[in-house]
Amino acid sequence: MFEYKKGNSFLHRCPATFKIIFIPLINIVFLFLPYYFIAALVLLQFILAFALHFTVKEIYKDLRPVIYYGLLLFLLQFNLQNVRETLLILLKLLCIMQSASLTFKTSSPLQIREGVASIESFFCRLIRKKPAYTFTNALSLFIIFIPMLSRVWEEAKKAWLIRGGKKGIKMYSALLPVLFSVGMKKAYNMARAVAIRSITQ
């Protein structure tokens, strides 16, 4: 989920700082406009994703939480008015998730870190304060952690299925502790690496 995909498109070459600032702003503007503007933006995002050679599987992996959430919401609907409201909510969520996907898939973790660092440095200069990059380091770890956890989960699930395991409650009960354990270990190692790097700088 939200894994960087190498490429040489205009969006890949676009500075990460620009994407971090303006893509969310575009989303915020569209969220306050009528639903057909949001629907048009979602359609354009899908067209752009395919133009960047993202596969259906890659797009599905990034949008899977919205799909599951949408199914859950529809199961709880009892009248047409609620269905319309739910569709609008899902359109907004699709818009946000697709924007996040386009940003992360066309920006490496290092580019995102440098983009966030440049923004933090700019604000620190405004208030005449030396940047410590505490926020940058914390956000960078969080950003890296999302695709890393997704990758660990996919690897664990693949190993489970190769060994003859079946999808179901038993799989989740067996693999979730593994995900938690491996995730905590990787998070600890990343935090130590950032701390050591901060000391040596």
Side-chain angles (χ1 to χ4, degrees):
M1 184 175 177
F2 292 156
E3 293 186 39
Y4 172 64
K5 184 172 183 177
K6 291 182 180 180
N8 194 34
S9 69
F10 74 95
L11 204 55
H12 282 85
R13 295 193 300 269
C14 185
T17 306
F18 178 87
K19 287 183 277 190
I20 292 168
I21 294 174
F22 287 101
I23 290 181
L25 283 177
I26 291 170
N27 275 274
I28 292 170
V29 170
F30 269 80
L31 291 181
F32 288 98
L33 294 175
Y35 73 91
Y36 42 84
F37 283 99
I38 304 172
L41 180 58
V42 169
L43 179 61
L44 286 173
Q45 288 171 333
F46 275 109
I47 293 171
L48 181 58
F50 286 119
L52 295 171
H53 305 292
F54 298 162
T55 65
V56 173
K57 184 178 180 181
E58 289 170 338
I59 296 171
Y60 168 72
K61 281 177 66 177
D62 287 352
L63 300 182
R64 187 163 47 189
V66 178
I67 295 170
Y68 290 160
Y69 180 63
L71 290 174
L72 179 63
L73 286 179
F74 278 116
L75 288 174
L76 301 175
Q77 303 309 310
F78 298 102
N79 58 64
L80 186 60
Q81 182 62 33
N82 284 342
V83 171
R84 288 173 179 167
E85 292 175 0
T86 301
L87 285 173
L88 182 57
I89 292 171
L90 290 178
L91 269 177
K92 292 180 179 181
L93 286 175
L94 278 174
C95 185
I96 293 168
M97 290 292 282
Q98 271 288 68
S99 292
S101 176
L102 290 169
T103 301
F104 291 134
K105 281 190 177 300
T106 58
S107 306
S108 69
L110 178 60
Q111 289 172 330
I112 292 176
R113 187 189 187 284
E114 290 175 346
V116 175
S118 65
I119 295 170
E120 184 176 1
S121 177
F122 172 76
F123 281 107
C124 285
R125 286 199 301 270
L126 284 180
I127 60 175
R128 300 180 183 280
K129 179 182 176 183
K130 184 179 179 180
Y133 299 114
T134 305
F135 175 75
T136 298
N137 290 335
L139 185 61
S140 298
L141 285 175
F142 177 72
I143 289 170
I144 295 169
F145 205 59
I146 295 172
M148 186 197 70
L149 273 183
S150 177
R151 191 160 51 247
V152 170
W153 174 254
E154 291 299 325
E155 289 173 357
K157 190 168 69 172
K158 185 178 179 180
W160 173 268
L161 295 174
I162 289 173
R163 289 181 172 86
K166 304 294 183 183
K167 287 186 178 181
I169 296 175
K170 187 177 180 180
M171 183 189 78
Y172 288 99
S173 62
L175 296 186
L176 284 176
V178 175
L179 178 66
F180 178 79
S181 175
V182 175
M184 288 296 291
K185 184 177 180 180
K186 286 184 176 291
Y188 174 72
N189 290 336
M190 284 196 300
R192 282 192 65 190
V194 170
I196 291 170
R197 184 176 178 181
S198 299
I199 292 171
T200 56
Q201 283 180 343

XYZ file of all heavy atoms in Angstrom, residues 1-2 19-20 22-32 37-39 41-43 45-46 59 62-63 65-66 69 88-105:
388
model
N 0.844 -1.200 0.000
C 0.000 0.000 0.000
C 0.878 1.249 0.000
O 1.800 1.379 0.809
C -0.909 -0.004 1.233
C -1.892 1.143 1.306
S -3.003 0.984 2.704
C -3.928 2.490 2.531
N 0.621 2.175 -0.928
C 1.344 3.440 -1.040
C 2.848 3.227 -1.244
O 3.659 3.992 -0.734
C 1.117 4.322 0.195
C -0.281 4.838 0.337
C -0.774 5.203 1.583
C -1.119 4.950 -0.755
C -2.069 5.677 1.731
C -2.413 5.422 -0.623
C -2.891 5.780 0.629
N 4.113 18.631 -4.463
C 3.049 17.628 -4.327
C 2.485 17.602 -2.913
O 1.271 17.476 -2.719
C 3.579 16.243 -4.725
C 3.782 16.080 -6.223
C 4.238 14.694 -6.596
C 5.722 14.546 -6.441
N 6.236 13.292 -7.026
N 3.354 17.716 -1.909
C 2.917 17.674 -0.514
C 1.998 18.843 -0.196
O 1.034 18.717 0.574
C 4.140 17.667 0.431
C 4.901 16.338 0.295
C 3.714 17.875 1.875
C 6.265 16.349 0.958
N 0.384 21.142 -2.656
C -0.723 21.477 -3.549
C -1.723 20.345 -3.773
O -2.910 20.622 -3.975
C -0.173 21.981 -4.889
C 0.410 23.350 -4.812
C 1.791 23.523 -4.737
C -0.403 24.468 -4.774
C 2.344 24.786 -4.649
C 0.133 25.735 -4.687
C 1.514 25.897 -4.624
N -1.287 19.097 -3.743
C -2.260 18.010 -3.935
C -3.297 17.977 -2.816
O -4.497 17.893 -3.083
C -1.544 16.652 -4.109
C -0.833 16.620 -5.465
C -2.528 15.492 -3.999
C -0.108 15.334 -5.770
N -2.888 18.068 -1.533
C -3.919 18.156 -0.479
C -4.803 19.397 -0.603
O -6.004 19.333 -0.329
C -3.099 18.195 0.815
C -1.811 17.539 0.467
C -1.545 17.936 -0.957
N -4.208 20.527 -1.020
C -5.002 21.750 -1.166
C -6.080 21.583 -2.236
O -7.222 22.039 -2.060
C -4.090 22.929 -1.530
C -3.277 23.541 -0.394
C -2.381 24.641 -0.916
C -4.197 24.076 0.705
N -5.716 20.937 -3.342
C -6.697 20.681 -4.407
C -7.844 19.838 -3.873
O -9.018 20.081 -4.155
C -6.019 19.993 -5.606
C -5.062 20.970 -6.302
C -7.065 19.482 -6.607
C -4.180 20.328 -7.346
N -7.499 18.816 -3.060
C -8.520 17.968 -2.465
C -9.464 18.760 -1.570
O -10.677 18.588 -1.625
C -7.863 16.855 -1.633
C -7.486 15.663 -2.478
O -8.290 14.782 -2.703
N -6.271 15.644 -2.955
N -8.883 19.617 -0.736
C -9.690 20.401 0.198
C -10.670 21.296 -0.565
O -11.848 21.398 -0.206
C -8.778 21.251 1.116
C -7.992 20.332 2.059
C -9.604 22.257 1.922
C -6.900 21.025 2.832
N -10.178 21.923 -1.625
C -11.043 22.791 -2.433
C -12.191 21.989 -3.037
O -13.356 22.386 -2.955
C -10.222 23.486 -3.545
C -11.160 24.183 -4.526
C -9.252 24.487 -2.944
N -11.885 20.836 -3.623
C -12.912 20.034 -4.288
C -13.914 19.443 -3.295
O -15.079 19.242 -3.648
C -12.259 18.906 -5.101
C -11.971 19.299 -6.524
C -10.855 20.062 -6.837
C -12.827 18.932 -7.542
C -10.590 20.438 -8.136
C -12.571 19.307 -8.860
C -11.451 20.064 -9.150
N -13.489 19.177 -2.068
C -14.396 18.578 -1.085
C -15.541 19.511 -0.710
O -16.580 19.068 -0.239
C -13.623 18.172 0.169
C -12.650 17.006 0.005
C -11.961 16.682 1.322
C -13.330 15.772 -0.554
N -15.345 20.812 -0.925
C -16.389 21.778 -0.605
C -17.233 22.156 -1.817
O -18.162 22.954 -1.709
C -15.773 23.044 0.013
C -15.257 22.841 1.416
C -13.914 22.593 1.641
C -16.123 22.862 2.489
C -13.434 22.396 2.919
C -15.647 22.670 3.784
C -14.304 22.423 3.996
N -18.153 17.771 -9.183
C -16.764 18.190 -9.262
C -15.859 17.119 -8.644
O -14.789 16.821 -9.171
C -16.556 19.525 -8.535
C -17.029 20.731 -9.308
C -18.262 21.300 -9.030
C -16.245 21.282 -10.319
C -18.708 22.400 -9.744
C -16.676 22.386 -11.039
C -17.922 22.951 -10.749
N -16.304 16.574 -7.515
C -15.531 15.520 -6.852
C -15.453 14.289 -7.748
O -14.382 13.678 -7.913
C -16.168 15.152 -5.497
C -16.312 16.393 -4.615
C -15.326 14.095 -4.772
C -17.107 16.164 -3.349
N -16.587 13.922 -8.352
C -16.623 12.759 -9.241
C -15.693 12.972 -10.432
O -14.987 12.047 -10.859
C -18.052 12.510 -9.719
N -12.979 14.851 -10.486
C -11.601 14.763 -10.021
C -11.190 13.300 -9.812
O -10.073 12.906 -10.182
C -11.423 15.542 -8.718
C -10.014 15.519 -8.115
C -8.985 16.067 -9.103
C -9.961 16.305 -6.814
N -12.088 12.486 -9.244
C -11.798 11.069 -9.045
C -11.546 10.384 -10.392
O -10.613 9.582 -10.542
C -12.954 10.369 -8.286
C -12.781 8.851 -8.306
C -13.020 10.866 -6.848
N -12.378 10.705 -11.384
C -12.203 10.138 -12.721
C -10.862 10.543 -13.313
O -10.135 9.708 -13.886
C -13.352 10.593 -13.634
C -13.293 10.092 -15.083
C -13.353 8.564 -15.130
C -14.437 10.695 -15.897
N -8.215 11.342 -11.655
C -7.172 10.655 -10.897
C -6.968 9.231 -11.411
O -5.824 8.758 -11.520
C -7.530 10.635 -9.409
C -7.401 11.994 -8.736
C -7.966 11.986 -7.328
O -8.861 11.208 -7.010
N -7.441 12.837 -6.478
N -8.069 8.542 -11.731
C -7.968 7.189 -12.278
C -7.282 7.213 -13.655
O -6.424 6.371 -13.947
C -9.347 6.544 -12.392
C -9.811 5.882 -11.131
C -10.840 6.430 -10.384
C -9.219 4.703 -10.688
C -11.271 5.827 -9.213
C -9.645 4.091 -9.520
C -10.668 4.645 -8.778
N -3.656 -0.163 -7.883
C -4.692 0.813 -7.526
C -5.637 0.221 -6.487
O -6.008 0.880 -5.511
C -5.467 1.264 -8.783
C -4.533 2.010 -9.748
C -6.652 2.148 -8.401
C -5.149 2.301 -11.095
N -4.253 0.204 -2.907
C -4.284 1.504 -2.238
C -5.709 1.924 -1.852
O -5.903 2.634 -0.859
C -3.664 2.573 -3.134
C -2.152 2.434 -3.228
O -1.587 1.611 -2.485
O -1.539 3.142 -4.050
N -6.680 1.496 -2.656
C -8.068 1.915 -2.402
C -8.868 0.876 -1.621
O -10.037 1.104 -1.321
C -8.774 2.198 -3.736
C -8.166 3.303 -4.607
C -8.997 3.501 -5.853
C -8.048 4.613 -3.827
N -8.989 -0.071 1.551
C -9.678 0.357 2.775
C -10.987 1.091 2.498
O -11.969 0.910 3.217
C -8.651 1.277 3.445
C -7.341 0.830 2.917
C -7.598 0.413 1.506
N -11.004 1.935 1.437
C -12.231 2.662 1.090
C -13.315 1.697 0.621
O -14.495 1.853 0.963
C -11.952 3.715 -0.004
C -13.235 4.447 -0.397
C -10.906 4.701 0.461
N -14.655 -0.137 3.649
C -15.450 0.800 4.446
C -16.786 1.083 3.768
O -17.825 1.160 4.421
C -14.657 2.098 4.623
C -15.365 3.154 5.434
C -15.695 2.936 6.763
C -15.712 4.384 4.863
C -16.333 3.911 7.508
C -16.349 5.366 5.601
C -16.655 5.119 6.919
O -17.303 6.073 7.649
N -21.616 10.059 -1.410
C -20.857 11.303 -1.377
C -19.623 11.153 -0.481
O -18.522 11.603 -0.829
C -21.737 12.455 -0.868
C -21.086 13.844 -0.833
C -20.580 14.237 -2.213
C -22.069 14.889 -0.309
N -19.802 10.496 0.671
C -18.680 10.258 1.583
C -17.606 9.412 0.891
O -16.412 9.692 0.971
C -19.162 9.561 2.875
C -20.032 10.518 3.698
C -17.977 9.074 3.710
C -20.729 9.857 4.869
N -18.054 8.361 0.190
C -17.112 7.471 -0.492
C -16.371 8.185 -1.621
O -15.188 7.938 -1.851
C -17.845 6.241 -1.030
C -18.349 5.259 0.025
C -19.103 4.114 -0.625
C -17.197 4.724 0.864
N -17.090 9.066 -2.330
C -16.433 9.854 -3.385
C -15.309 10.705 -2.794
O -14.212 10.782 -3.342
C -17.454 10.754 -4.083
C -18.160 10.195 -5.312
C -19.180 11.190 -5.826
C -17.147 9.869 -6.421
N -15.587 11.326 -1.649
C -14.581 12.160 -0.994
C -13.397 11.321 -0.527
O -12.236 11.719 -0.678
C -15.209 12.904 0.191
C -16.224 13.961 -0.216
C -16.822 14.659 0.993
C -17.813 15.732 0.568
N -18.395 16.452 1.730
N -13.687 10.148 0.038
C -12.617 9.267 0.499
C -11.769 8.763 -0.671
O -10.545 8.689 -0.572
C -13.206 8.085 1.273
C -13.720 8.387 2.677
C -14.381 7.153 3.284
C -12.583 8.857 3.582
N -12.433 8.407 -1.782
C -11.702 7.975 -2.976
C -10.780 9.081 -3.483
O -9.640 8.828 -3.884
C -12.680 7.568 -4.082
C -13.261 6.168 -4.012
C -14.311 5.975 -5.093
C -12.162 5.121 -4.173
N -11.297 10.294 -3.455
C -10.530 11.458 -3.899
C -9.267 11.618 -3.045
O -8.160 11.787 -3.567
C -11.408 12.703 -3.800
S -10.671 14.202 -4.447
N -9.426 11.526 -1.730
C -8.304 11.699 -0.808
C -7.299 10.561 -0.951
O -6.082 10.781 -1.020
C -8.817 11.781 0.646
C -9.631 13.077 0.835
C -7.666 11.726 1.642
C -10.415 13.126 2.128
N -7.808 9.321 -1.005
C -6.917 8.163 -1.088
C -6.153 8.133 -2.413
O -4.974 7.786 -2.453
C -7.722 6.873 -0.915
C -8.259 6.661 0.487
S -6.962 6.352 1.710
C -6.572 4.647 1.376
N -6.828 8.487 -3.505
C -6.148 8.515 -4.798
C -5.057 9.585 -4.827
O -3.991 9.377 -5.403
C -7.151 8.773 -5.926
C -7.771 7.521 -6.500
C -6.778 6.735 -7.339
O -5.804 6.173 -6.836
N -7.009 6.675 -8.638
N -5.325 10.715 -4.203
C -4.309 11.770 -4.141
C -3.094 11.310 -3.347
O -1.947 11.542 -3.744
C -4.896 13.032 -3.503
O -5.859 13.612 -4.350
N -3.364 10.655 -2.205
C -2.268 10.123 -1.397
C -1.479 9.080 -2.184
O -0.242 9.059 -2.157
C -2.819 9.515 -0.108
N -2.205 8.226 -2.900
C -1.562 7.180 -3.700
C -0.665 7.789 -4.775
O 0.484 7.364 -4.957
C -2.623 6.282 -4.349
O -2.046 5.328 -5.196
N -1.176 8.785 -5.491
C -0.388 9.428 -6.551
C 0.857 10.107 -5.984
O 1.924 10.089 -6.601
C -1.250 10.447 -7.300
C -2.353 9.871 -8.191
C -3.301 10.966 -8.658
C -1.742 9.154 -9.398
N 0.719 10.695 -4.791
C 1.860 11.371 -4.163
C 2.934 10.374 -3.762
O 4.118 10.534 -4.073
C 1.408 12.167 -2.924
O 0.427 13.134 -3.309
C 2.584 12.888 -2.282
N 2.519 9.321 -3.042
C 3.486 8.357 -2.519
C 4.074 7.462 -3.606
O 5.223 7.056 -3.530
C 2.837 7.494 -1.434
C 2.512 8.247 -0.183
C 1.285 8.116 0.435
C 3.447 9.096 0.385
C 0.986 8.816 1.587
C 3.157 9.805 1.542
C 1.923 9.672 2.149
N 3.284 7.131 -4.635
C 3.782 6.251 -5.688
C 4.749 6.965 -6.632
O 5.505 6.312 -7.352
C 2.611 5.666 -6.483
C 1.915 4.505 -5.798
C 0.935 3.826 -6.726
C 0.294 2.625 -6.080
N 1.279 1.601 -5.680
